[in-house]
Amino acid sequence: MAAHVSASAAKPSTAATSAFLAACRREPVPHRPVWIMRQAGRYLPEYRALRAKVDFETLTRTPELAAEVTVQPLKRFELDAAILFSDIMTPLQGMGVDLTFNPGPIVREPIRSIAQIEALPALEPKRDVPFVLETIRLVRASIPRGAPLIGFAGAPFTLFCYLVCGRPSKEFAPARTFLFAQPEAAEALLMRLADAMAAYLAAQAAAGAQALMLFESWAGLLGPREYQRFALPAVRRTVAALKAAGVPLIYYLNQGSALLPTLASLEVDVVGIDWRCSLSDARRVLGPGKAVQGNLDPAALFAPPAELERQAAAVIAEAGTTPGHIFNLGHGIWPDTDPESVARLVDFVHEH
Ligand code: CP3
């Protein structure tokens, strides 16, 4: 049972009337759309109840369960979009990379050599990750209020970080030293990842995903020269291959405010912004051709209700009145967040 009854009217949306999809295209919206990065996950008691019985990997590989987890947050809150429940590392498992989750991804044999890179096969989504495509079909058939479904992948450099480093890290030193020590090998790995994620995302769109998001969680660790030499050409390659998919593309760049001028020319519809940069600055730098998504600090959900509303109002004010803002956090929601704060935030954004 939903613990919270929303005050905003629950109008079913379709692809034609979805506030989220309209905002992606910078069209006027009846209300400001909102969804939350990592909205399906450990802060929800119903997710924890399922996880007590089933490990994370099994959840991602069982379409009925992955679909159930995908819609859990939409049953509780009036969110304007769902995001596929999976992980950025799931397609790499499909390509034969031996890895486990504890809770972050641990790669058994981190990639450090040309031989390992050349041994990495191309991704064939129907063969390698059929459960993801089936999850998308199940979600589309059961989604509350006709909300649109976002498919996603890790951006090539962010996947590179986990593959080379082998585990979550603050600095991803092995991945960054690889760029300087073996630049050609690094480029080769990035291009393979770019092609694999293009195939993966195109298959998600074909299965029914109505928008596609690339998570670039760690490219903000790079200086502008390395970003432009390594991360940007790889993500450009993925994005170029997805033009034909016909759905909005979102590129989330964490800690990337210094890199935003470079992104104005990346052919995506929406840029996801973290909280370290004001949305008014981001919109000015990106120009009129991009919508923005973000950017409340996940920590703000721990403020008392009135302060949370002030913080959300500040984000909305910085986003301004020009069409093309999707409200979100600046990074994933923290596992110890109170779901009641999320309910309050979603209603506040809708009513503001
Ligand atoms: O609601 C959603 O956003 C959909 C599900 C989703 C997960 N991972 C589920 C998950 C999404 C979109 C991701 C993306 C992801 N995974 C990113 C990019 C976004 C970001 O946070 O920067 C990254 C870097 C990963 C890698 C990863 N997977 C980490 C670092 C961890 C562990 C810590 C954490 O943040 O949860 C995971 C495991 C993971 N992926 C969990 C979930 C719900 C926790 C697993 C569990 O239940 O034990």
Side-chain angles (χ1 to χ4, degrees):
M1 271 299 282
H4 172 91
V5 177
S6 171
S8 58
K11 287 204 202 75
S13 68
T14 64
T17 62
S18 155
F20 167 76
L21 292 174
C24 288
R25 301 190 192 98
R26 292 173 286 111
E27 292 163 2
V29 287
H31 65 265
R32 196 173 295 257
V34 51
W35 69 278
I36 307 281
M37 284 195 275
R38 310 295 288 268
Q39 65 191 15
R42 288 168 296 175
Y43 75 104
L44 285 179
E46 53 272 37
Y47 175 79
R48 289 198 301 270
L50 242 177
R51 269 287 278 113
K53 294 182 279 185
V54 187
D55 66 79
F56 175 69
E57 223 180 300
T58 306
L59 272 189
T60 61
R61 288 172 166 271
T62 312
E64 292 73 20
L65 295 178
E68 181 183 335
V69 175
T70 301
V71 302
Q72 276 179 347
L74 279 93
K75 289 184 173 160
R76 211 183 236 273
F77 316 116
E78 296 274 328
L79 295 159
D80 292 282
I83 183 160
L84 170 71
F85 184 77
S86 187
D87 194 79
I88 58 169
M89 302 303 283
T90 302
L92 301 181
Q93 283 182 307
M95 291 161 73
V97 175
D98 188 358
L99 66 95
T100 53
F101 291 92
N102 187 23
I106 313 288
V107 178
R108 190 196 294 269
E109 287 178 28
I111 292 187
R112 305 281 166 88
S113 72
I114 284 277
Q116 282 172 296
I117 294 166
E118 284 173 353
L120 209 59
L123 178 74
E124 282 191 34
K126 284 184 186 162
R127 178 193 66 196
D128 300 333
V129 283
F131 47 88
V132 171
L133 308 180
E134 183 56 21
T135 301
I136 290 172
R137 288 187 279 268
L138 288 179
V139 171
R140 284 299 307 277
S142 67
I143 190 92
R145 303 180 298 283
L149 173 64
I150 305 167
F152 75 90
F157 181 73
T158 293
L159 297 175
F160 175 97
C161 281
Y162 286 106
L163 282 178
V164 176
C165 191
R167 56 185 60 246
S169 159
K170 256 203 166 82
E171 294 283 0
F172 287 98
R176 284 160 59 204
T177 55
F178 195 79
L179 298 181
F180 291 93
Q182 300 187 66
E184 283 86 19
E187 280 166 343
L189 177 53
L190 285 163
M191 291 307 154
R192 277 184 193 239
L193 292 170
D195 290 341
M197 292 310 112
Y200 184 49
L201 289 169
Q204 290 186 40
Q210 292 147 292
L212 297 172
M213 176 152 165
L214 282 153
F215 282 94
E216 188 77 280
S217 303
W218 305 121
L221 291 171
L222 297 177
R225 285 186 302 279
E226 281 64 49
Y227 182 78
Q228 296 204 26
R229 168 154 185 204
F230 296 103
L232 186 61
V235 72
R236 256 195 220 296
R237 187 173 167 106
T238 305
V239 164
L242 290 168
K243 257 197 156 159
V247 299
L249 300 182
I250 308 171
Y251 179 61
Y252 166 73
L253 178 56
N254 183 32
Q255 297 216 45
S257 21
L259 302 169
L260 287 182
T262 314
L263 290 192
S265 67
L266 183 67
E267 287 195 44
V268 295
D269 303 278
V270 186
V271 176
I273 310 285
D274 69 81
W275 66 92
R276 299 165 189 90
C277 170
S278 103
L279 287 184
S280 54
D281 288 346
R283 294 198 89 168
R284 188 166 36 72
V285 173
L286 289 168
K290 299 265 187 289
V292 291
Q293 176 172 277
N295 72 343
L296 186 70
D297 186 337
L301 285 164
F302 294 76
E307 179 60 19
L308 172 59
E309 293 191 355
R310 271 193 293 277
Q311 295 289 336
V315 168
I316 290 169
E318 285 168 0
T321 51
T322 311
H325 175 227
I326 299 148
F327 195 103
N328 204 317
L329 304 182
H331 201 174
I333 188 168
W334 292 348
D336 52 344
T337 307
D338 181 352
E340 282 300 315
S341 293
V342 177
R344 220 169 269 128
L345 176 65
V346 170
D347 285 350
F348 179 78
V349 173
H350 283 161
E351 287 156 17
H352 190 72

mmCIF file of all heavy atoms in Angstrom, residues 35-42 47 51 56 83-89 101 103-105 152 158 162 168 215 217-218 252 331-332, ligand 1:
data_model
loop_
_atom_site.group_PDB
_atom_site.id
_atom_site.type_symbol
_atom_site.label_atom_id
_atom_site.label_comp_id
_atom_site.label_asym_id
_atom_site.label_seq_id
_atom_site.Cartn_x
_atom_site.Cartn_y
_atom_site.Cartn_z
ATOM 1 N N TRP A 35 11.264 13.160 -11.721
ATOM 2 C CA TRP A 35 11.560 11.789 -11.324
ATOM 3 C C TRP A 35 12.870 11.853 -10.549
ATOM 4 O O TRP A 35 13.489 12.926 -10.453
ATOM 5 C CB TRP A 35 11.607 10.819 -12.523
ATOM 6 C CG TRP A 35 12.744 10.978 -13.482
ATOM 7 C CD1 TRP A 35 12.826 11.884 -14.503
ATOM 8 C CD2 TRP A 35 13.962 10.215 -13.529
ATOM 9 N NE1 TRP A 35 14.023 11.733 -15.166
ATOM 10 C CE2 TRP A 35 14.736 10.723 -14.596
ATOM 11 C CE3 TRP A 35 14.474 9.152 -12.765
ATOM 12 C CZ2 TRP A 35 15.999 10.205 -14.931
ATOM 13 C CZ3 TRP A 35 15.722 8.638 -13.097
ATOM 14 C CH2 TRP A 35 16.467 9.159 -14.165
ATOM 15 N N ILE A 36 13.292 10.741 -9.974
ATOM 16 C CA ILE A 36 14.417 10.755 -9.036
ATOM 17 C C ILE A 36 15.442 9.715 -9.470
ATOM 18 O O ILE A 36 15.100 8.533 -9.603
ATOM 19 C CB ILE A 36 13.926 10.370 -7.608
ATOM 20 C CG1 ILE A 36 12.756 11.259 -7.172
ATOM 21 C CG2 ILE A 36 15.065 10.358 -6.597
ATOM 22 C CD1 ILE A 36 13.124 12.622 -6.688
ATOM 23 N N MET A 37 16.694 10.152 -9.674
ATOM 24 C CA MET A 37 17.720 9.169 -10.029
ATOM 25 C C MET A 37 17.845 8.129 -8.913
ATOM 26 O O MET A 37 17.886 8.481 -7.738
ATOM 27 C CB MET A 37 19.066 9.862 -10.275
ATOM 28 C CG MET A 37 19.095 10.560 -11.630
ATOM 29 S SD MET A 37 20.771 10.998 -12.135
ATOM 30 C CE MET A 37 20.937 12.544 -11.286
ATOM 31 N N ARG A 38 17.906 6.863 -9.298
ATOM 32 C CA ARG A 38 17.929 5.695 -8.409
ATOM 33 C C ARG A 38 16.641 5.597 -7.598
ATOM 34 O O ARG A 38 16.655 5.173 -6.431
ATOM 35 C CB ARG A 38 19.145 5.728 -7.480
ATOM 36 C CG ARG A 38 20.472 5.984 -8.191
ATOM 37 C CD ARG A 38 20.867 4.884 -9.147
ATOM 38 N NE ARG A 38 21.280 3.677 -8.482
ATOM 39 C CZ ARG A 38 22.529 3.384 -8.151
ATOM 40 N NH1 ARG A 38 23.487 4.209 -8.426
ATOM 41 N NH2 ARG A 38 22.814 2.252 -7.566
ATOM 42 N N GLN A 39 15.514 5.971 -8.255
ATOM 43 C CA GLN A 39 14.233 5.980 -7.534
ATOM 44 C C GLN A 39 13.761 4.580 -7.148
ATOM 45 O O GLN A 39 12.961 4.433 -6.224
ATOM 46 C CB GLN A 39 13.149 6.701 -8.344
ATOM 47 C CG GLN A 39 12.755 6.031 -9.661
ATOM 48 C CD GLN A 39 11.882 6.945 -10.534
ATOM 49 O OE1 GLN A 39 11.788 8.143 -10.310
ATOM 50 N NE2 GLN A 39 11.214 6.371 -11.523
ATOM 51 N N ALA A 40 14.220 3.554 -7.876
ATOM 52 C CA ALA A 40 13.897 2.186 -7.493
ATOM 53 C C ALA A 40 15.104 1.653 -6.725
ATOM 54 O O ALA A 40 16.148 1.448 -7.305
ATOM 55 C CB ALA A 40 13.646 1.343 -8.742
ATOM 56 N N GLY A 41 14.936 1.461 -5.426
ATOM 57 C CA GLY A 41 16.115 0.997 -4.699
ATOM 58 C C GLY A 41 15.942 0.993 -3.197
ATOM 59 O O GLY A 41 14.827 0.995 -2.675
ATOM 60 N N ARG A 42 17.091 1.028 -2.525
ATOM 61 C CA ARG A 42 17.127 0.629 -1.113
ATOM 62 C C ARG A 42 16.431 1.559 -0.128
ATOM 63 O O ARG A 42 16.187 1.162 1.004
ATOM 64 C CB ARG A 42 18.588 0.433 -0.682
ATOM 65 C CG ARG A 42 19.185 -0.825 -1.297
ATOM 66 C CD ARG A 42 20.670 -0.854 -1.116
ATOM 67 N NE ARG A 42 21.266 0.264 -1.844
ATOM 68 C CZ ARG A 42 22.558 0.575 -1.802
ATOM 69 N NH1 ARG A 42 23.369 -0.126 -1.064
ATOM 70 N NH2 ARG A 42 23.016 1.598 -2.491
ATOM 71 N N TYR A 47 11.280 -2.363 -1.687
ATOM 72 C CA TYR A 47 12.466 -2.893 -2.371
ATOM 73 C C TYR A 47 13.282 -3.739 -1.399
ATOM 74 O O TYR A 47 13.696 -4.859 -1.721
ATOM 75 C CB TYR A 47 13.338 -1.758 -2.931
ATOM 76 C CG TYR A 47 14.640 -2.261 -3.535
ATOM 77 C CD1 TYR A 47 14.666 -2.823 -4.800
ATOM 78 C CD2 TYR A 47 15.836 -2.194 -2.813
ATOM 79 C CE1 TYR A 47 15.851 -3.309 -5.347
ATOM 80 C CE2 TYR A 47 17.024 -2.679 -3.353
ATOM 81 C CZ TYR A 47 17.028 -3.237 -4.617
ATOM 82 O OH TYR A 47 18.203 -3.726 -5.146
ATOM 83 N N ARG A 51 14.535 -7.581 -1.645
ATOM 84 C CA ARG A 51 15.975 -7.877 -1.611
ATOM 85 C C ARG A 51 16.352 -8.819 -0.472
ATOM 86 O O ARG A 51 17.369 -9.508 -0.550
ATOM 87 C CB ARG A 51 16.771 -6.572 -1.498
ATOM 88 C CG ARG A 51 17.171 -5.966 -2.803
ATOM 89 C CD ARG A 51 18.292 -6.742 -3.496
ATOM 90 N NE ARG A 51 19.608 -6.387 -2.966
ATOM 91 C CZ ARG A 51 20.396 -7.180 -2.280
ATOM 92 N NH1 ARG A 51 20.001 -8.401 -2.016
ATOM 93 N NH2 ARG A 51 21.559 -6.785 -1.859
ATOM 94 N N PHE A 56 20.632 -9.098 -5.664
ATOM 95 C CA PHE A 56 20.495 -8.021 -6.647
ATOM 96 C C PHE A 56 20.565 -8.528 -8.088
ATOM 97 O O PHE A 56 19.756 -8.158 -8.941
ATOM 98 C CB PHE A 56 21.579 -6.965 -6.401
ATOM 99 C CG PHE A 56 21.598 -5.872 -7.419
ATOM 100 C CD1 PHE A 56 20.573 -4.949 -7.489
ATOM 101 C CD2 PHE A 56 22.650 -5.764 -8.318
ATOM 102 C CE1 PHE A 56 20.580 -3.941 -8.443
ATOM 103 C CE2 PHE A 56 22.665 -4.753 -9.273
ATOM 104 C CZ PHE A 56 21.632 -3.838 -9.338
ATOM 105 N N ILE A 83 12.250 4.510 -14.502
ATOM 106 C CA ILE A 83 13.532 4.123 -15.096
ATOM 107 C C ILE A 83 13.706 2.631 -14.886
ATOM 108 O O ILE A 83 13.449 2.102 -13.795
ATOM 109 C CB ILE A 83 14.724 4.945 -14.549
ATOM 110 C CG1 ILE A 83 16.020 4.542 -15.262
ATOM 111 C CG2 ILE A 83 14.850 4.820 -13.030
ATOM 112 C CD1 ILE A 83 17.139 5.569 -15.159
ATOM 113 N N LEU A 84 14.095 1.980 -15.957
ATOM 114 C CA LEU A 84 14.343 0.540 -15.948
ATOM 115 C C LEU A 84 15.158 0.143 -14.722
ATOM 116 O O LEU A 84 16.170 0.775 -14.426
ATOM 117 C CB LEU A 84 15.135 0.215 -17.227
ATOM 118 C CG LEU A 84 15.720 -1.178 -17.346
ATOM 119 C CD1 LEU A 84 14.604 -2.185 -17.570
ATOM 120 C CD2 LEU A 84 16.725 -1.215 -18.501
ATOM 121 N N PHE A 85 14.767 -0.908 -14.036
ATOM 122 C CA PHE A 85 15.577 -1.413 -12.941
ATOM 123 C C PHE A 85 16.612 -2.387 -13.503
ATOM 124 O O PHE A 85 16.282 -3.471 -13.992
ATOM 125 C CB PHE A 85 14.740 -2.110 -11.868
ATOM 126 C CG PHE A 85 15.593 -2.533 -10.716
ATOM 127 C CD1 PHE A 85 16.022 -1.610 -9.783
ATOM 128 C CD2 PHE A 85 16.023 -3.835 -10.598
ATOM 129 C CE1 PHE A 85 16.866 -1.975 -8.741
ATOM 130 C CE2 PHE A 85 16.859 -4.216 -9.556
ATOM 131 C CZ PHE A 85 17.278 -3.287 -8.633
ATOM 132 N N SER A 86 17.854 -1.952 -13.433
ATOM 133 C CA SER A 86 18.973 -2.766 -13.907
ATOM 134 C C SER A 86 20.229 -2.119 -13.353
ATOM 135 O O SER A 86 20.141 -1.371 -12.373
ATOM 136 C CB SER A 86 18.985 -2.783 -15.440
ATOM 137 O OG SER A 86 19.956 -3.692 -15.902
ATOM 138 N N ASP A 87 21.366 -2.372 -13.935
ATOM 139 C CA ASP A 87 22.578 -1.679 -13.515
ATOM 140 C C ASP A 87 23.420 -1.365 -14.742
ATOM 141 O O ASP A 87 23.316 -2.058 -15.763
ATOM 142 C CB ASP A 87 23.396 -2.521 -12.526
ATOM 143 C CG ASP A 87 24.451 -1.659 -11.835
ATOM 144 O OD1 ASP A 87 24.094 -0.926 -10.904
ATOM 145 O OD2 ASP A 87 25.626 -1.695 -12.262
ATOM 146 N N ILE A 88 24.290 -0.366 -14.631
ATOM 147 C CA ILE A 88 25.134 -0.027 -15.783
ATOM 148 C C ILE A 88 26.076 -1.189 -16.145
ATOM 149 O O ILE A 88 26.518 -1.286 -17.274
ATOM 150 C CB ILE A 88 25.951 1.280 -15.557
ATOM 151 C CG1 ILE A 88 26.850 1.190 -14.326
ATOM 152 C CG2 ILE A 88 25.028 2.481 -15.470
ATOM 153 C CD1 ILE A 88 27.852 2.357 -14.225
ATOM 154 N N MET A 89 26.368 -2.081 -15.180
ATOM 155 C CA MET A 89 27.301 -3.182 -15.454
ATOM 156 C C MET A 89 26.609 -4.416 -16.045
ATOM 157 O O MET A 89 27.286 -5.345 -16.516
ATOM 158 C CB MET A 89 28.036 -3.577 -14.176
ATOM 159 C CG MET A 89 28.830 -2.447 -13.522
ATOM 160 S SD MET A 89 30.062 -1.709 -14.604
ATOM 161 C CE MET A 89 31.357 -2.961 -14.528
ATOM 162 N N PHE A 101 28.220 -8.064 -7.480
ATOM 163 C CA PHE A 101 27.807 -6.813 -6.838
ATOM 164 C C PHE A 101 27.921 -6.978 -5.327
ATOM 165 O O PHE A 101 27.377 -7.918 -4.766
ATOM 166 C CB PHE A 101 26.362 -6.469 -7.214
ATOM 167 C CG PHE A 101 26.207 -6.072 -8.656
ATOM 168 C CD1 PHE A 101 25.906 -7.020 -9.623
ATOM 169 C CD2 PHE A 101 26.370 -4.756 -9.044
ATOM 170 C CE1 PHE A 101 25.756 -6.654 -10.962
ATOM 171 C CE2 PHE A 101 26.227 -4.380 -10.381
ATOM 172 C CZ PHE A 101 25.920 -5.329 -11.337
ATOM 173 N N PRO A 103 28.026 -3.887 -2.382
ATOM 174 C CA PRO A 103 26.872 -3.795 -3.274
ATOM 175 C C PRO A 103 27.277 -3.233 -4.626
ATOM 176 O O PRO A 103 26.609 -3.460 -5.605
ATOM 177 C CB PRO A 103 25.936 -2.830 -2.535
ATOM 178 C CG PRO A 103 26.868 -1.936 -1.754
ATOM 179 C CD PRO A 103 28.050 -2.779 -1.412
ATOM 180 N N GLY A 104 28.410 -2.505 -4.691
ATOM 181 C CA GLY A 104 28.894 -1.971 -5.970
ATOM 182 C C GLY A 104 29.539 -3.074 -6.798
ATOM 183 O O GLY A 104 29.838 -4.154 -6.280
ATOM 184 N N PRO A 105 29.771 -2.822 -8.079
ATOM 185 C CA PRO A 105 30.326 -3.849 -8.967
ATOM 186 C C PRO A 105 31.798 -4.143 -8.689
ATOM 187 O O PRO A 105 32.599 -3.232 -8.516
ATOM 188 C CB PRO A 105 30.152 -3.240 -10.366
ATOM 189 C CG PRO A 105 29.964 -1.779 -10.162
ATOM 190 C CD PRO A 105 29.434 -1.574 -8.793
ATOM 191 N N PHE A 152 18.365 2.912 -19.991
ATOM 192 C CA PHE A 152 19.641 3.570 -19.690
ATOM 193 C C PHE A 152 20.833 2.650 -19.934
ATOM 194 O O PHE A 152 20.700 1.432 -20.052
ATOM 195 C CB PHE A 152 19.682 4.092 -18.249
ATOM 196 C CG PHE A 152 19.882 3.008 -17.212
ATOM 197 C CD1 PHE A 152 21.160 2.626 -16.811
ATOM 198 C CD2 PHE A 152 18.791 2.371 -16.644
ATOM 199 C CE1 PHE A 152 21.347 1.619 -15.851
ATOM 200 C CE2 PHE A 152 18.962 1.365 -15.693
ATOM 201 C CZ PHE A 152 20.239 0.996 -15.299
ATOM 202 N N THR A 158 32.558 5.918 -18.066
ATOM 203 C CA THR A 158 32.173 5.471 -16.721
ATOM 204 C C THR A 158 32.292 3.942 -16.622
ATOM 205 O O THR A 158 32.766 3.405 -15.608
ATOM 206 C CB THR A 158 30.771 5.997 -16.401
ATOM 207 O OG1 THR A 158 30.870 7.427 -16.288
ATOM 208 C CG2 THR A 158 30.213 5.420 -15.104
ATOM 209 N N TYR A 162 35.039 1.350 -14.200
ATOM 210 C CA TYR A 162 34.809 0.121 -13.422
ATOM 211 C C TYR A 162 35.584 -1.060 -13.994
ATOM 212 O O TYR A 162 36.112 -1.889 -13.248
ATOM 213 C CB TYR A 162 33.315 -0.209 -13.366
ATOM 214 C CG TYR A 162 32.560 0.706 -12.428
ATOM 215 C CD1 TYR A 162 31.730 1.698 -12.915
ATOM 216 C CD2 TYR A 162 32.703 0.585 -11.055
ATOM 217 C CE1 TYR A 162 31.044 2.547 -12.065
ATOM 218 C CE2 TYR A 162 32.023 1.430 -10.192
ATOM 219 C CZ TYR A 162 31.198 2.404 -10.696
ATOM 220 O OH TYR A 162 30.536 3.245 -9.851
ATOM 221 N N PRO A 168 34.272 0.104 -7.250
ATOM 222 C CA PRO A 168 34.008 1.527 -7.004
ATOM 223 C C PRO A 168 35.208 2.180 -6.335
ATOM 224 O O PRO A 168 35.965 1.513 -5.615
ATOM 225 C CB PRO A 168 32.804 1.510 -6.053
ATOM 226 C CG PRO A 168 32.151 0.181 -6.259
ATOM 227 C CD PRO A 168 33.268 -0.760 -6.596
ATOM 228 N N PHE A 215 24.503 7.395 -18.249
ATOM 229 C CA PHE A 215 25.040 7.829 -16.958
ATOM 230 C C PHE A 215 26.552 7.998 -17.059
ATOM 231 O O PHE A 215 27.285 7.010 -17.185
ATOM 232 C CB PHE A 215 24.733 6.799 -15.866
ATOM 233 C CG PHE A 215 23.322 6.860 -15.356
ATOM 234 C CD1 PHE A 215 22.331 6.048 -15.884
ATOM 235 C CD2 PHE A 215 22.974 7.730 -14.334
ATOM 236 C CE1 PHE A 215 21.029 6.102 -15.407
ATOM 237 C CE2 PHE A 215 21.679 7.789 -13.843
ATOM 238 C CZ PHE A 215 20.706 6.978 -14.377
ATOM 239 N N SER A 217 28.910 8.977 -14.705
ATOM 240 C CA SER A 217 29.082 9.287 -13.286
ATOM 241 C C SER A 217 30.492 9.752 -12.952
ATOM 242 O O SER A 217 30.688 10.475 -11.986
ATOM 243 C CB SER A 217 28.727 8.054 -12.449
ATOM 244 O OG SER A 217 27.402 7.660 -12.744
ATOM 245 N N TRP A 218 31.500 9.327 -13.760
ATOM 246 C CA TRP A 218 32.886 9.571 -13.323
ATOM 247 C C TRP A 218 33.739 10.381 -14.275
ATOM 248 O O TRP A 218 34.919 10.635 -13.977
ATOM 249 C CB TRP A 218 33.572 8.228 -12.965
ATOM 250 C CG TRP A 218 32.775 7.488 -11.951
ATOM 251 C CD1 TRP A 218 32.245 6.239 -12.073
ATOM 252 C CD2 TRP A 218 32.326 7.980 -10.671
ATOM 253 N NE1 TRP A 218 31.499 5.920 -10.957
ATOM 254 C CE2 TRP A 218 31.534 6.972 -10.085
ATOM 255 C CE3 TRP A 218 32.513 9.178 -9.968
ATOM 256 C CZ2 TRP A 218 30.930 7.117 -8.832
ATOM 257 C CZ3 TRP A 218 31.901 9.330 -8.719
ATOM 258 C CH2 TRP A 218 31.135 8.307 -8.177
ATOM 259 N N TYR A 252 23.702 12.399 -18.530
ATOM 260 C CA TYR A 252 23.952 12.874 -17.162
ATOM 261 C C TYR A 252 25.453 12.892 -16.915
ATOM 262 O O TYR A 252 26.128 11.865 -17.048
ATOM 263 C CB TYR A 252 23.255 11.969 -16.137
ATOM 264 C CG TYR A 252 23.749 12.219 -14.732
ATOM 265 C CD1 TYR A 252 23.379 13.370 -14.051
ATOM 266 C CD2 TYR A 252 24.616 11.330 -14.107
ATOM 267 C CE1 TYR A 252 23.869 13.633 -12.775
ATOM 268 C CE2 TYR A 252 25.101 11.573 -12.833
ATOM 269 C CZ TYR A 252 24.724 12.726 -12.173
ATOM 270 O OH TYR A 252 25.206 12.988 -10.913
ATOM 271 N N HIS A 331 22.225 13.783 -8.142
ATOM 272 C CA HIS A 331 22.827 12.442 -8.239
ATOM 273 C C HIS A 331 21.833 11.494 -7.586
ATOM 274 O O HIS A 331 20.757 11.928 -7.165
ATOM 275 C CB HIS A 331 24.205 12.404 -7.555
ATOM 276 C CG HIS A 331 25.069 11.250 -8.040
ATOM 277 N ND1 HIS A 331 26.374 11.097 -7.655
ATOM 278 C CD2 HIS A 331 24.804 10.206 -8.866
ATOM 279 C CE1 HIS A 331 26.886 10.010 -8.233
ATOM 280 N NE2 HIS A 331 25.947 9.458 -8.972
ATOM 281 N N GLY A 332 22.164 10.217 -7.499
ATOM 282 C CA GLY A 332 21.204 9.239 -6.998
ATOM 283 C C GLY A 332 20.771 9.486 -5.554
ATOM 284 O O GLY A 332 21.553 9.978 -4.736
HETATM 285 O O1 CP3 B 1 16.086 3.500 -10.001
HETATM 286 C C1 CP3 B 1 17.046 3.474 -10.777
HETATM 287 O O2 CP3 B 1 17.757 4.479 -10.983
HETATM 288 C C2 CP3 B 1 17.294 2.228 -11.611
HETATM 289 C C3 CP3 B 1 18.297 1.352 -11.166
HETATM 290 C C4 CP3 B 1 19.797 1.648 -11.219
HETATM 291 C C5 CP3 B 1 20.712 0.908 -10.433
HETATM 292 N N1 CP3 B 1 21.967 1.273 -10.782
HETATM 293 C C6 CP3 B 1 20.333 -0.128 -9.455
HETATM 294 C C7 CP3 B 1 21.289 -0.534 -8.407
HETATM 295 C C8 CP3 B 1 20.544 2.532 -12.013
HETATM 296 C C9 CP3 B 1 20.079 3.575 -13.004
HETATM 297 C C10 CP3 B 1 21.916 2.285 -11.717
HETATM 298 C C11 CP3 B 1 23.022 3.000 -12.375
HETATM 299 C C12 CP3 B 1 24.372 2.907 -11.813
HETATM 300 N N2 CP3 B 1 24.991 1.824 -11.265
HETATM 301 C C13 CP3 B 1 25.299 3.969 -11.857
HETATM 302 C C14 CP3 B 1 25.055 5.327 -12.473
HETATM 303 C C15 CP3 B 1 24.353 6.250 -11.551
HETATM 304 C C16 CP3 B 1 25.172 6.752 -10.401
HETATM 305 O O3 CP3 B 1 24.783 6.449 -9.267
HETATM 306 O O4 CP3 B 1 26.181 7.443 -10.619
HETATM 307 C C17 CP3 B 1 26.478 3.511 -11.253
HETATM 308 C C18 CP3 B 1 27.750 4.313 -11.067
HETATM 309 C C19 CP3 B 1 26.281 2.141 -10.900
HETATM 310 C C20 CP3 B 1 27.270 1.219 -10.288
HETATM 311 C C21 CP3 B 1 26.765 0.663 -9.005
HETATM 312 N N3 CP3 B 1 25.827 -0.351 -8.920
HETATM 313 C C22 CP3 B 1 27.126 1.016 -7.688
HETATM 314 C C23 CP3 B 1 28.160 2.074 -7.332
HETATM 315 C C24 CP3 B 1 26.370 0.214 -6.819
HETATM 316 C C25 CP3 B 1 26.417 0.124 -5.309
HETATM 317 C C26 CP3 B 1 26.077 1.279 -4.530
HETATM 318 C C27 CP3 B 1 24.786 1.973 -4.896
HETATM 319 O O5 CP3 B 1 24.873 3.157 -5.275
HETATM 320 O O6 CP3 B 1 23.710 1.397 -4.806
HETATM 321 C C28 CP3 B 1 25.553 -0.614 -7.616
HETATM 322 C C29 CP3 B 1 24.575 -1.598 -7.168
HETATM 323 C C30 CP3 B 1 23.150 -1.218 -7.367
HETATM 324 N N4 CP3 B 1 22.632 -0.788 -8.561
HETATM 325 C C31 CP3 B 1 22.107 -1.255 -6.402
HETATM 326 C C32 CP3 B 1 20.937 -0.834 -7.056
HETATM 327 C C33 CP3 B 1 19.564 -0.742 -6.482
HETATM 328 C C34 CP3 B 1 22.247 -1.731 -4.975
HETATM 329 C C35 CP3 B 1 22.213 -3.203 -4.969
HETATM 330 C C36 CP3 B 1 21.529 -3.776 -3.758
HETATM 331 O O7 CP3 B 1 20.294 -3.783 -3.687
HETATM 332 O O8 CP3 B 1 22.279 -4.265 -2.888
#
